Amino acid sequence: MSESTRIQDLPRVLVVGGGFGGIATARRLARSRVQVGLIDRRNHHLFQPLLYQVATAALNPSDIAVPIRRIFRRQRNVTVALGGVEEVDLQHRRIRVDDEEWVRYDYLVLAAGATHSYFGRDDWAELAPGLKTIEDSTEIRRRFLLAFEAAELENDPEARAACLTFVVVGAGPTGCELAGAMAEIARQEMPPDFRHVDTATARIILVQSGDRVLPQMSEQCSEAAKRQLEKLGVEIRLNSRVTHVEEGGVTCGEDFIAANNVFWAAGVKASPLGESLGVELDSRGRVVVGSDLSVPGHPEVFVIGDQAAAIDAKTGEPVPGVAQGAMQGGDFVGRLIAAELRAEQDGKSPPLRGAFTYFDKGSMATLGRNKAVADAFGVKLAGFPAWAAWAVVHVIFLVSFRSKVAVAFNWMWTYFFDSRGVRLITGNSKLELKAPPDLD
């Protein structure tokens, strides 16, 4: 009997999503007698915490993404499939892929992640792109860099000011990091490259509905982040909610901000795949799971990462939707499935399932060169020490060795030469000017 035939006879675990949680689950099952099918709409695993650096021209997309097949090239019990899962049939233990094929499972792990939430105003998506995919990052980069090209040639003062005004909605980690990087580029890197416009006059406005930036971190770190962002020239508007987005600007309360570029970092919602389960969802569309991360009434189905509304069994607090939570959840579910299958194959009763506990390794956010905040294990850092810690941690957690080397090299180049090597405008580069220059 061939190896492939033997694998096909083994129980089947389907993992939906090649993010942090899905990858962790499949890796944990490496030595188990099981066939693992990993399905994702993309062929690559994306290191989302560094996606904003693609958007701000510090890194290439290939620096933070690696083909999923390459990750599992030596794990013989994993089959990778490119496709979108449209529906889950809990009763018959099967999933529908790309509106065509039904695939059965013995265990199912949903790790499909999350997408942007515009709080019922999805019509804003085209005007205010979010940051979740490589396509999102290159589009934001295109709009950001194109704005300076337009300002260089624009003769109308008001139109030039609108070109150089950027509004970032949401002051969580993504919003703060994006705003800080944009301010740093405009004031420190770009000025020598332009002849007719002072890029240092660009306005980067960070809008936050709450009373502080980085609300998930300590007040001390939040205040330190605010000071560092303001030192970079970022205008921070707290207790300010965006009520309307239109071509040419945003409305915050009663104030209209004329801005040609608006970027969204205000909220996320879970993948709509959870809706097909017919089980309880929370206000963000996440599946309410049991203490073992399984779907109530269906112990063979698990939901992890951003798609799950999970509670830490130790603290009773919600598990945050961050990379470390997804990885820990994936590892937990992988160990649980492996233990149950091993018991079944040995003719023993399955072990009692434990409850998932989340180990908080802390939070970090970088705001610019030598500017960052970190809150880990009771230690709070700001400035260069936090920035250095942030850089080391993020390089360590990149999946491939190639990515580690590429990212570290690019960061060193940018740090010592103050030059971002990926300032490339791709896609549509047509300029729309109110008062074009007279080039005759």
Side-chain angles (χ1 to χ4, degrees), residues 13 29 107 109 302 332-342:
V13 177
L29 294 169
Y107 285 92
V109 181
F302 300 88
F332 171 85
V333 168
R335 285 189 286 108
L336 189 155
I337 293 174
E340 292 189 353
L341 289 174
R342 186 164 54 249

Side-chain angles (χ1 to χ4, degrees), residues 172-194:
T174 298
C176 288
E177 290 172 340
L178 195 61
M182 287 180 171
E184 189 174 58
I185 296 170
R187 285 162 173 73
Q188 299 176 17
E189 182 176 339
M190 283 187 170
D193 295 353
F194 289 82

Side-chain angles (χ1 to χ4, degrees), residues 372 383-393:
F384 177 78
W387 180 85
W390 176 92
V392 170
V393 167

Side-chain angles (χ1 to χ4, degrees), residues 197-233:
V197 66
D198 181 6
T199 65
T201 62
R203 296 178 66 195
I204 316 296
I205 303 172
L206 182 62
V207 179
Q208 169 70 347
S209 61
D211 59 0
R212 60 190 180 99
V213 303
L214 298 175
Q216 76 285 356
M217 297 185 71
S218 67
E219 291 189 15
Q220 179 180 335
C221 286
S222 176
E223 186 58 33
K226 182 174 181 289
R227 288 196 303 270
Q228 292 177 80
L229 286 170
E230 290 175 335
K231 188 175 181 180
L232 283 169

Side-chain angles (χ1 to χ4, degrees), residues 166-172 175 179 204-210 212-213 234-243 250-253 257 262-263 265-266:
F166 306 88
V167 177
V168 179
V169 184
I204 316 296
I205 303 172
L206 182 62
V207 179
Q208 169 70 347
S209 61
R212 60 190 180 99
V213 303
V234 177
E235 300 177 34
I236 300 175
R237 296 195 176 197
L238 300 176
N239 299 308
S240 183
R241 187 178 299 275
V242 170
T243 55
V250 299
T251 301
C252 298
I257 303 173
V262 181
F263 304 118

